[in-house]
């Protein structure tokens, strides 16, 4: 039951509904403050309910008639893939939140390109984060634009294109390009075109490929073992930082 003073994801979902109804102005900040209370009372008044600012059964029932859904709204493709992999939809949704913010993306990793191509990669900018952490954290070196620039250095060279694609991660779940090339074999630029044609759909196909090629990770996901799953997915060095992100995202999904 939501009321003045409450906080959390359930409040945020209620605020988003009130904003969509035109009764609350501003951002959904997860805090049931005076403005959210006033908007709730406005909704109750319009529905002929007791105007007390409390989101109880009667208010929820009226809100549901207007389209409100209490609970996390999973992407339908998350539910489909999770069912196919026999794993929790929560875990899969958390991956999309942490890895890409639920927006498909291409991230170029210049340190991988340098490792694959050696001296040929001298034309690709690369600023290691540190001696022990060779990856770049500079947006101008890791963005889709950086990927496009790297790809354009040797047009028509399939070996070069393959290395650049393999040095990048794709989609909602940030799966390495080797899986994209396996999903669309033959022509590396053809594989990239297939990704660009439908980033969202290919994102889920890539996630399915990765989990099926990583049985230990799939087992960890099925068992809900986040720490072990992250270890297989992103390496042991990244477990502490990623685990905190995964737990926060899981709390968001669970409300």
């Amino acid at each position: 039951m939501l009321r003045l003073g409450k906080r959390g994801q359930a409040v945020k979902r209620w605020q988003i509904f009130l904003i969509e109804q035109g009764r609350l102005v501003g951002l959904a900040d997860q805090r049931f403050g005076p403005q959210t209370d006033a908007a709730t009372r406005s909704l109750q008044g319009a529905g002929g309910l007791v105007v007390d600012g409390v989101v109880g059964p009667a208010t929820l029932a009226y809100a549901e008639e207007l389209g409100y859904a209490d609970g996390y709204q999973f992407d339908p493709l998350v539910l489909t893939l999770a069912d196919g992999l026999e794993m929790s939809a929560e875990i899969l949704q958390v991956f999309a939140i942490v890895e890409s913010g639920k927006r498909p993306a291409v991230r170029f990793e210049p340190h991988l390109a340098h490792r694959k191509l050696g001296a040929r990669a001298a034309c690709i900018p690369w600023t290691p984060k540190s001696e022990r952490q060779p990856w770049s954290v500079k947006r101008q070196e890791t963005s889709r634009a950086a990927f496009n620039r790297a790809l354009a250095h040797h047009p028509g060279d399939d070996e070069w294109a393959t290395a650049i694609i393999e040095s990048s991660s794709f989609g909602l779940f940030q799966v390495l390009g080797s899986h994209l090339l396996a999903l669309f074999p033959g022509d590396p630029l053809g594989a990239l075109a297939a990704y660009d044609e439908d980033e969202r759909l290919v994102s889920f196909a890539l996630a399915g490929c990765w989990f099926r090629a990583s049985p230990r990770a799939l087992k960890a996901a099925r068992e809900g073992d986040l720490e072990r799953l992250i270890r297989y997915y992103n390496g042991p060095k990244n477990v502490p930082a990623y685990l905190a992100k995964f737990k926060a995202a899981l709390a968001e999904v669970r409300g």
Side-chain angles (χ1 to χ4, degrees):
M1 188 176 293
L2 305 178
R3 64 175 73 212
L4 193 64
K6 290 284 188 179
R7 297 188 182 196
Q9 288 296 319
V11 173
K12 182 177 180 178
R13 291 195 293 269
W14 180 247
Q15 290 174 318
I16 290 171
F17 167 71
L18 293 174
I19 290 169
E20 291 171 345
Q21 292 294 309
R23 298 189 182 277
L24 179 63
V25 177
L27 298 174
D29 61 2
Q30 304 186 37
R31 299 179 181 181
F32 202 120
Q35 288 182 312
T36 304
D37 179 73
T40 301
R41 291 173 185 267
S42 171
L43 182 80
Q44 290 172 326
L49 307 172
V50 174
V51 180
D52 58 5
V54 177
V55 186
T59 300
L60 281 174
Y62 176 60
E64 286 168 0
E65 291 177 8
L66 299 176
Y68 175 65
D70 185 23
Y72 192 88
Q73 301 303 299
F74 287 95
D75 185 317
L77 286 179
V78 164
L79 298 175
T80 300
L81 180 57
D83 185 56
L85 293 173
E86 298 180 358
M87 62 181 284
S88 165
E90 289 182 346
I91 300 294
L92 203 56
Q93 189 72 72
V94 162
F95 256 91
I97 293 171
V98 171
E99 288 298 321
S100 65
K102 295 186 288 188
R103 295 183 299 276
V106 175
R107 177 181 170 84
F108 180 50
E109 299 286 4
H111 73 287
L112 295 181
H114 278 257
R115 186 184 303 167
K116 290 176 181 294
L117 294 164
R120 291 190 73 196
C123 56
I124 298 174
W126 172 34
T127 309
K129 183 179 180 182
S130 69
E131 190 174 324
R132 297 184 63 184
Q133 298 174 313
W135 55 86
S136 172
V137 293
K138 290 191 173 185
R139 176 70 180 163
Q140 64 268 31
E141 295 179 352
T142 62
S143 65
R144 176 62 192 263
F147 169 85
N148 290 342
R149 287 193 297 271
L151 199 62
H153 279 299
H154 294 281
D157 186 335
D158 282 358
E159 183 180 350
W160 178 271
T162 295
I164 298 302
I165 290 171
E166 289 179 340
S167 301
S168 309
S169 51
F170 293 83
L172 288 166
F173 304 93
Q174 290 293 279
V175 176
L176 279 173
S178 55
H179 292 279
L180 178 65
L181 296 175
L183 192 62
F184 301 100
D187 176 12
L189 294 184
L192 181 62
Y195 170 78
D196 285 333
E197 186 175 344
D198 195 334
E199 293 177 309
R200 184 169 172 273
L201 192 60
V202 175
S203 290
F204 284 93
L206 287 172
C209 287
W210 184 84
F211 271 109
R212 291 186 180 98
S214 311
R216 292 186 299 176
L218 181 56
K219 185 174 186 290
R222 286 171 174 169
E223 294 173 354
D225 189 334
L226 288 178
E227 186 171 342
R228 192 154 48 96
L229 176 57
I230 293 166
R231 186 177 298 275
Y232 294 136
Y233 189 79
N234 231 309
K237 292 181 180 179
N238 294 323
V239 169
Y242 263 79
L243 189 58
K245 293 178 182 179
F246 269 68
K247 286 183 176 179
L250 190 59
E252 176 185 335
V253 171
R254 291 177 174 172

